[in-house]
Amino acid sequence: MSGRTDDPGHAPEVSRWRAFWERGGWWKAVALVVAYYVLYQLGGLLFLPLLDGLEPSSAGALIVGFALPIALGGLLLVAFAISLGWLRELFAPQPIRGRGWMWIAVAVVLIFNVLRFAALDDDSAGLGLVAAWLVTGLCIGFAEEVLTRGYVVNLMRKAGHSEIATALVSAALFAAMHSGNLLDGQDLLTTAVQVLYTFAFGICMYLALRVTGNLIWPILLHASTDPSIFLLTAHPGAGPLTAFAGLGNIAVILFGLLAIIFIRGRITAASSTSFHHEAEPSR
């Protein structure tokens, strides 16, 4: 018997694959992030032969060793969204309003990104490396935000979790991915600080998603963050602006952790189809 129906009063049946993911759940979010991380690491092996003969800190090495693997990860995420029919849904207007104070998250991240670029020693970095980092940043911003503020947030909301739980889980999974730097030989203390920073940054990106109303804006904010941090670290300019711009990570950590206290809301059946409806505030 066919699963289709011509009765306009009934919604068409969906595949078991899509129905499984439509129910959402935090454990599905965890499984998806783990699967992405493993595939990203395996994908990176495909590009290793192309690194031969490239200077480790060159623009070419950055593109081949970092941008291409994460771009491949982004393509896998898009393919997954297409298989679920979620591509438009992920980039649709948010079904829950942001609050005015959430713009602080956008301001803190954006202001320090601009300051870091302004404090950069352009002559030392070179146009080629800056351009390579901007391309890499776009790949990072797209893949990591689609995964954590796109899929993870969507899965948490579909399961009926509160917005505070949604924010915490999306930020925690984002931070957990960066703990994998231990496998690349990064020391424990540096990794611990990085995990704390990425957790707080994840909270800021969740707030940016809420207050701007669309996933594209956290993607762009994220895309400008990694290049500004890594370029300033490797090619700092002289003068007090460099020292002040270097406080950006501390500012993000402090605000991100403090902001958790004020996150409220829960998606309701009505708000799933309208940006202007929201459940009574709840933690």
Side-chain angles (χ1 to χ4, degrees), residues 34 66 158 165 206 211 270:
V34 170
F66 201 3
K158 286 178 182 295
Y206 162 83
V211 77

Side-chain angles (χ1 to χ4, degrees), residues 252-270:
V252 166
I253 290 173
L254 292 177
F255 178 76
L257 297 181
L258 178 63
I260 293 171
I261 303 171
F262 303 100
I263 296 174
R264 301 286 189 275
R266 184 188 298 268
I267 298 295
T268 64

